[in-house]
Amino acid sequence: MEKISAIVVRTMGEKLIFIAATIRKDFWSWFVISFSFTAIYYMVLMLGLIIRFDSLPNYVNAYGWIDNVRTIIQSTPSITDTLIIINDEWIFEVGFMNYDFGTGISEWSLFLAPTKILGVFLLGLLIATNYLLLRPKNRVCNDVRARTSVTASGFGALCVALASITMSWVVCCSTPTWVVGLAMMGLGVSTSLWLEPMGVWVNLLGFGVLLIAILSAAERNRSSFTD
Amino acid sequence: MLNRKQLVSIVSVMAVCAVNAHAEKIRIAVGHQSMCTDTYTAGIVVKELKLLEKYLPTSGKYETAEYDVSWSDYSSGGPITNQMMANKLNFGVMGDYPLIVNGAKFQATDSLRTKYVAGTGYNLKGSGNAIVVPVDSDIYSIEELRGKSVSVPVGSAAWGMLLKGMRDTGIKTSEYNLKNQSPAVGAANIAANKIDAHGDFCPWSELMEFRGTGRKIYDGSETGVPYLHGVVVREDFADQYPEIVTAFIKAVYEAGEWIREDPVRAVDLMEKWTGVEKEVLYIYFSQGGHLTLDPTIKPQWVDALKFNHGVLVQEKSIPVLDFDEWITEDYLKAAYSDLGKDYQMEKDSVVDPAIENSKLPMEIWHSREGISSYASIDEFLIAIDQFRKTGAKLNATYVYDIETGLKLFGKTAFFVKTDSGFTTFLRKPDADKFALEKSGTVMDIESALATLSS
């Protein structure tokens, strides 16, 4: 048993060393891909809102994130609650205000929440890692494993991307939530709102699958076990 | 050397500085909704008349307190709850469904809670929510919505009303196409005839009727579930500053008194504050209006909230809510006691429009001369006819539905002419039935006016 464990640990260690070496070799590409992914992600969300609602944004709001987080920390006794609330704390909002009735109603908006941005950036890092590992010059796994890794990576990325959406729509109770994305894509609002509490699990599933995809891509092809 | 006078001055200045250094700055942040009429007595009216400031405590531990009162306007209750969670708001004013979500979401946390401390107003049977069709539509009852497209802001009180109304009528969810539309989008689609029907909360239905784009076919009162709004406050804030919560409720009470004292003055100012037309607001806030301003928490309200929670659990999987822990009347009782009012008496009093409004006069809102009242519909029609002959501009006319006692715009009511005169109805099927029984004729206001000259 000890021998088997030692083999597993060594294999995992080897993989991690290989992944780190691959990133180090192409660090700037890795970083630029991740950063670009984050920027593109939010641009796509914005574009999605503009196309879906056929209206350009007409207002922006900036929020004092640091002060707000300080207030949350000071006034929330439970650490778990504090983290959950901070996770939803936004810094910037851009959206469309309908002034046909009363003093105006925010029809839709896109919120930027630092923790969510960080999550999307992390997603970008994982995608970039997988991309670097599967580049022909770095690739060590066989074709089947590479294809599986790409598919799994895509699925994981989709889960995280969906669960990281911070759009709000007045018909979805005007709060920024990931299920607005589902509702906008045509899923019934009731069903979407019913799915809302599952956001954390969708996120975890996505990151889990991505990590497995990366480790799988770092698995050496048996025939290449020469060094 | 300092003389005695100089010494006293220096000590006084130092004392003032010391007091100021210890003055506690109390931040009071309120989230309200200026596009939801039923919240006005705890929102826009209290804000604009500075009623909270009037009642804020200034003695005892508050002697040196400095208050920082701020108001934030939202288009729905959801974001108010989020902001309360982050402690950016202490108080939240919202409708029944969002209130329940607020209480349940807070109770789902480990360490935070809100308290439901007061109501703002109610309609016993559920008026305020309604289903509207385009004004030229040939749909006149909820039964006719089978197979049609109906939109509603999902998650709102109007959505709950729509679900119950359809269920009560025997229409399954598979038998109509439910769409999710915001009030503004729904109203625009009704105006453009792009949707068969739209369900919404106050004051959207009346807004569409007043603008001449929509016609009500179903009123929330037909569900029989009370429609109410209320005030929630973060428990930590209420524990720390109970006197401020009491002060807030006193302000809510005075806001109600101020409206009752002169509804025309009130709606005139409210129009300036909110942008909602005063003629629409009048249908809510005048005598006989949809809304009974009353902050008390009645057992019927708790039952209604429990019913609504059941709907939300089924449709949105929201967390459980311990109503006993959430609802408290302590602050209400303290406020009523301070104001010298009898809480129990007001709590026991329930206004049923079908009874209370049965003897109320019809009204005409003349753009220059204001509002005049008429005991009978015949007199009311004659007056309109005379005003028209003088070329006078009439802002709005109001009658009552004989079935529910609801106040209606004259231009959207169905008039039934019988041997004993005119009777008015909200729904055409009711008017048809009455006409059949009494051998009368159903007509709109223009036809009713035409009968005067024939």
Side-chain angles (χ1 to χ4, degrees):
Chain A
M1 285 300 287
E2 277 176 19
K3 201 178 170 188
I4 293 169
S5 302
I7 291 167
V8 171
V9 170
R10 199 174 60 211
T11 311
M12 180 62 79
E14 212 180 54
K15 281 182 193 173
L16 292 176
I17 289 165
F18 174 67
I19 292 166
T22 308
I23 293 170
R24 207 178 307 124
K25 202 167 65 184
D26 236 337
F27 179 79
W28 285 109
S29 300
W30 182 68
F31 183 80
V32 168
I33 291 170
S34 311
F35 185 82
S36 307
F37 176 83
T38 310
I40 290 168
Y41 175 81
Y42 283 101
M43 278 194 271
V44 167
L45 290 188
M46 188 77 249
L47 210 62
L49 285 164
I50 292 169
I51 293 168
R52 170 67 177 77
F53 297 108
D54 198 21
S55 54
L56 289 168
N58 61 1
Y59 80 93
V60 289
N61 282 328
Y63 299 92
W65 189 80
I66 293 170
D67 284 344
N68 292 340
V69 167
R70 195 180 299 132
T71 307
I72 293 166
I73 292 169
Q74 285 167 354
S75 56
T76 314
S78 154
I79 292 171
T80 316
D81 292 343
T82 305
L83 294 175
I84 291 170
I85 296 168
I86 289 174
N87 189 42
D88 286 331
E89 191 56 34
W90 51 74
I91 193 166
F92 192 75
E93 176 193 4
V94 53
F96 176 75
M97 190 77 77
N98 183 331
Y99 291 104
D100 288 348
F101 301 91
T103 49
I105 286 178
S106 173
E107 281 282 335
W108 57 262
S109 51
L110 175 67
F111 289 84
L112 299 185
T115 52
K116 304 273 186 189
I117 296 174
L118 210 62
V120 174
F121 186 67
L122 183 62
L123 168 65
L125 290 176
L126 294 177
I127 290 173
T129 306
N130 212 17
Y131 168 74
L132 292 181
L133 289 171
L134 294 174
R135 279 174 86 176
K137 66 173 186 178
N138 301 327
R139 203 172 113 183
V140 292
C141 63
N142 60 34
D143 289 347
V144 176
R145 201 171 274 277
R147 276 197 297 273
T148 311
S149 178
V150 169
T151 311
S153 184
F155 174 75
L158 183 70
C159 289
V160 178
L162 268 179
S164 303
I165 287 174
T166 45
M167 300 187 299
S168 105
W169 184 12
V170 71
V171 292
C172 283
C173 287
S174 303
T175 45
T177 158
W178 72 281
V179 296
V180 167
L182 300 180
M184 278 174 53
M185 284 188 281
L187 188 68
V189 173
S190 303
T191 316
S192 303
L193 292 173
W194 194 82
L195 289 172
E196 193 178 5
M198 295 178 197
V200 179
W201 299 108
V202 174
N203 224 331
L204 286 175
L205 173 72
F207 276 120
V209 171
L210 267 164
L211 283 172
I212 292 168
I214 287 170
L215 290 172
S216 175
E219 181 78 49
R220 279 176 190 276
N221 189 345
R222 283 187 190 283
S223 60
S224 68
F225 251 102
T226 50
D227 51 8
Chain B
M1 287 293 286
L2 295 171
N3 62 29
R4 188 185 159 88
K5 207 170 178 178
Q6 285 172 318
L7 195 64
V8 168
S9 304
I10 290 169
V11 169
S12 304
V13 168
M14 285 172 69
V16 168
C17 290
V19 166
N20 282 339
H22 288 93
E24 188 186 5
K25 192 161 188 173
I26 302 174
R27 184 182 63 92
I28 306 169
V30 187
H32 70 114
Q33 302 174 64
S34 70
M35 274 306 286
C36 183
T37 46
D38 290 14
T39 65
Y40 286 5
T41 48
I44 198 76
V45 176
V46 175
K47 178 195 170 194
E48 295 294 337
L49 298 181
K50 298 200 180 301
L51 297 177
L52 177 58
E53 286 84 342
K54 176 180 171 182
Y55 287 108
L56 282 173
T58 52
S59 58
K61 71 172 179 178
Y62 300 98
E63 201 169 339
T64 58
E66 281 177 22
Y67 293 111
D68 172 19
V69 181
S70 62
W71 296 80
S72 304
D73 193 2
Y74 296 87
S75 49
S76 71
I80 297 180
T81 294
N82 276 20
Q83 299 297 291
M84 287 180 77
M85 281 223 159
N87 202 21
K88 284 183 258 174
L89 297 174
N90 313 113
F91 290 90
V93 192
M94 52 190 101
D96 39 21
Y97 276 74
L99 276 172
I100 292 161
V101 175
N102 178 287
K105 274 183 103 171
F106 267 85
Q107 284 189 7
T109 67
D110 292 338
S111 58
L112 301 174
R113 296 288 181 272
T114 50
K115 290 284 184 193
Y116 178 37
V117 292
T120 55
Y122 67 89
N123 183 280
L124 182 64
K125 302 282 176 62
S127 278
N129 296 309
I131 302 173
V132 170
V133 295
V135 71
D136 295 327
S137 167
D138 55 2
I139 296 173
Y140 289 96
S141 71
I142 190 169
E143 288 85 357
E144 295 169 66
L145 292 180
R146 204 174 255 112
K148 305 287 184 189
S149 289
V150 187
S151 68
V152 69
V154 173
S156 67
W159 168 69
M161 174 266 316
L162 180 76
L163 291 180
K164 185 164 191 306
M166 291 292 203
R167 207 179 298 155
D168 291 350
T169 315
I171 303 175
K172 294 178 195 154
T173 44
S174 57
E175 291 180 300
Y176 62 101
N177 180 15
L178 182 66
K179 291 186 174 179
N180 186 26
Q181 282 179 348
S182 69
V185 172
N189 282 339
I190 285 288
N193 214 352
K194 283 185 184 168
I195 188 100
D196 294 318
H198 175 72
D200 225 318
F201 48 82
C202 56
W204 289 92
S205 312
E206 290 74 24
L207 206 54
M208 286 182 257
E209 286 192 318
F210 180 71
R211 293 187 180 187
T213 57
R215 170 169 46 79
K216 225 188 256 190
I217 58 159
Y218 184 86
D219 188 84
S221 61
E222 292 174 63
T223 63
V225 180
Y227 181 42
L228 55 124
H229 288 63
V231 182
V232 277
V233 60
R234 270 180 68 117
E235 189 181 56
D236 50 3
F237 183 88
D239 288 344
Q240 195 176 356
Y241 304 115
E243 296 84 359
I244 294 177
V245 181
T246 306
F248 193 92
I249 295 170
K250 286 185 211 168
V252 173
Y253 190 91
E254 185 170 330
E257 295 279 274
W258 177 78
I259 291 170
R260 271 190 293 269
E261 197 177 277
D262 188 347
V264 177
R265 173 196 62 187
V267 297
D268 200 39
L269 280 168
M270 282 192 263
E271 181 188 64
K272 291 183 177 76
W273 299 332
T274 66
V276 178
E277 288 91 331
K278 58 181 183 287
E279 295 83 358
V280 174
L281 295 172
Y282 190 75
I283 223 164
Y284 279 89
F285 294 105
S286 57
Q287 194 192 3
H290 291 2
L291 190 57
T292 306
L293 303 172
D294 178 355
T296 65
I297 300 173
K298 304 178 197 302
Q300 300 95 307
W301 299 176
V302 181
D303 291 342
L305 290 169
K306 284 179 179 169
F307 171 82
N308 296 341
H309 181 255
V311 174
L312 285 168
V313 168
Q314 198 182 339
E315 301 286 340
K316 279 182 72 182
S317 81
I318 70 154
V320 292
L321 174 59
D322 181 342
F323 284 83
D324 293 333
E325 189 201 317
W326 182 50
I327 298 173
T328 174
E329 291 176 276
D330 294 349
Y331 304 99
L332 269 166
K333 287 174 181 168
Y336 271 68
S337 170
D338 287 356
L339 291 168
K341 305 288 177 190
D342 186 338
Y343 178 73
Q344 195 57 46
M345 195 185 78
E346 286 199 25
K347 184 181 170 180
D348 293 341
S349 151
V350 178
V351 172
D352 184 344
I355 300 163
E356 305 288 334
N357 296 356
S358 59
K359 301 286 179 208
L360 289 180
M362 311 326 121
E363 290 167 300
I364 297 173
W365 193 327
H366 189 287
S367 64
R368 205 177 53 248
E369 294 168 15
I371 292 173
S372 48
S373 303
Y374 304 89
S376 72
I377 299 173
D378 296 71
E379 288 172 43
F380 162 82
L381 290 170
I382 291 166
I384 292 176
D385 189 49
Q386 285 171 349
F387 278 133
R388 282 189 177 181
K389 280 175 182 159
T390 64
K393 182 177 175 286
L394 303 182
N395 289 357
T397 58
Y398 304 95
V399 296
Y400 292 91
D401 175 32
I402 193 78
E403 297 284 326
T404 59
L406 281 178
K407 196 164 204 160
L408 314 171
F409 287 116
K411 66 179 179 181
T412 60
F414 292 97
F415 289 70
V416 177
K417 185 175 168 51
T418 60
D419 292 341
S420 52
F422 282 99
T423 311
T424 45
F425 291 85
L426 162 71
R427 291 169 6 109
K428 190 166 184 292
D430 294 336
D432 287 337
K433 191 176 162 209
F434 183 82
L436 198 67
E437 284 167 8
K438 306 279 180 184
S439 305
T441 314
V442 181
M443 57 189 78
D444 61 12
I445 192 168
E446 295 305 324
S447 305
L449 284 164
T451 62
L452 298 177
S453 50
S454 61

